[in-house]
Amino acid sequence: MAKKQQEEAPKGSPAWMATFSDLMNLLLCFFVLLFSMSTVDEVKQEKVVASFNQMFSVFDGGAQAIGDGMLISNGVSQLNELDEFINSTGKMDDGEIVSEDVADSTAAAKEQLEEAQMEESETLAEKIQEAVDERNMADEVEVQFTAQFVQLTLKGSLLFDSGSTLLKEEAKPVLDQVGLILERYAEGTIEIEGHTDNVPMSGAKYSNNNELSSGRALSVFDYILSITNLDPANIKHAGRGEYLPVADNATPEGRAKNRRVEIKIYNSLSSY
């Protein structure tokens, strides 16, 4: 009988050893997991954080990690502060949420472009001023510049008689030299603008200052084309009338300054 019971006894390890082995495996996995979490690659972590920050702008508004933010750490009870949270991460007037980093980058790029435009205009203005001085035209041609263009200003009294759009003969040698300067330095758009004072037209061919300024700009445009090889498609002309004075129209001297023709040479970085 005893021999029969011995033959029927189960084979293998006792049941408690299987349970103990499972427990040891679980503990081993647990400690391996803890070890792996304690050795995070800081470089990769920073890249991940930066990536989320640029795309969603969450960390700028909510501290440095999920759980420390204005809304996250304080729980859903702080949803009444949602607008403040969105504003801190960057919200445009039309409600579009944008990243502060993107906005800063855009502003920096715009500033760099403006600096480059100003440097190019300044360099071009120096070359043109040198050409004007070499031709002894400093009294007839004034050189100024902005980030968009270099401007040549010619006095109206030099170019035209009062109320007329017909070029004076003594103005043509000056325009001949201006044409040479334009051929040499103008690589982009050229704009010719006519300006007047605010004295109303009376008894003249043109009924108002708008027509007079347009006619004068067109006269300079036609003459420049006749003496140069410039592409007409790159030259614009416009009459600006009395609306952009550079001096006080209350004095004869101011009105004389306002009667002028401006030739703008846009640089290669301008928006024109």
Side-chain angles (χ1 to χ4, degrees):
M1 190 69 166
K3 183 177 180 180
K4 185 178 180 181
Q5 290 179 351
Q6 184 178 1
E7 291 177 354
E8 294 177 354
K11 298 180 180 180
S13 303
W16 66 268
M17 291 187 66
T19 303
F20 182 79
S21 298
D22 291 339
L23 177 61
M24 291 300 101
N25 287 333
L26 290 174
L27 288 174
L28 177 61
C29 292
F30 176 74
F31 284 108
V32 169
L33 180 61
L34 288 179
F35 178 78
S36 64
M37 294 176 62
S38 66
T39 56
V40 176
D41 189 331
E42 294 183 0
V43 175
K44 291 183 179 179
Q45 183 186 28
E46 291 178 357
K47 290 182 179 180
V48 172
V49 171
S51 176
F52 273 95
N53 187 28
Q54 288 184 350
M55 293 183 64
F56 301 108
S57 192
V58 171
F59 295 143
D60 284 345
Q64 298 299 317
I66 296 176
D68 295 333
M70 183 185 302
L71 295 180
I72 303 300
S73 63
N74 295 333
V76 295
S77 62
Q78 297 299 320
L79 287 178
N80 58 334
E81 298 181 9
L82 178 60
D83 192 61
E84 180 183 352
F85 172 76
I86 293 175
N87 285 331
S88 68
T89 58
K91 183 176 67 174
M92 299 182 69
D93 292 339
D94 59 359
E96 180 184 356
I97 301 174
V98 296
S99 169
E100 291 181 359
D101 289 342
V102 173
D104 292 342
S105 299
T106 302
K110 183 178 180 181
E111 183 177 354
Q112 290 178 357
L113 176 60
E114 290 178 351
E115 290 178 357
Q117 289 175 329
M118 186 63 73
E119 289 178 4
E120 181 166 339
S121 289
E122 184 176 5
T123 301
L124 180 59
E126 290 175 354
K127 294 178 181 179
I128 293 176
Q129 184 65 63
E130 183 178 352
V132 168
D133 294 339
E134 288 177 354
R135 292 166 171 79
N136 297 318
M137 298 192 305
D139 292 337
E140 290 83 13
V141 181
E142 181 182 357
V143 180
Q144 298 171 305
F145 67 92
T146 68
Q148 296 288 322
F149 55 80
V150 177
Q151 177 176 293
L152 309 181
T153 302
L154 293 85
K155 298 177 182 178
S157 58
L158 168 70
L159 301 175
F160 306 100
D161 289 326
S162 178
S164 173
T165 62
L166 183 64
L167 285 170
K168 292 182 178 181
E169 288 300 321
E170 55 265 33
K172 293 181 179 179
V174 176
L175 289 177
D176 290 343
Q177 297 301 318
V178 170
L180 294 175
I181 292 174
L182 294 178
E183 282 189 315
R184 182 175 181 181
Y185 297 110
E187 299 179 357
T189 301
I190 300 171
E191 187 170 21
I192 301 173
E193 292 183 350
H195 299 265
T196 67
D197 56 29
N198 65 346
V199 177
M201 300 293 297
S202 60
K205 178 180 178 181
Y206 299 95
S207 60
N208 56 57
N209 286 319
N210 292 330
E211 292 182 2
L212 178 63
S213 62
S214 296
R216 289 181 170 180
L218 181 59
S219 293
V220 175
F221 169 82
D222 288 337
Y223 187 79
I224 291 295
L225 285 185
S226 69
I227 62 171
T228 66
N229 295 317
L230 294 170
D231 186 354
N234 293 332
I235 308 177
K236 301 188 296 183
H237 59 87
R240 306 305 300 272
E242 62 194 65
Y243 306 111
L244 295 174
V246 294
D248 188 358
N249 277 309
T251 64
E253 295 79 9
R255 290 192 294 271
K257 289 182 178 180
N258 291 332
R259 297 189 295 269
R260 67 197 188 277
V261 171
E262 296 175 349
I263 301 176
K264 297 177 180 178
I265 307 171
Y266 288 89
N267 63 53
S268 61
L269 298 178
S270 70
S271 56
Y272 288 86

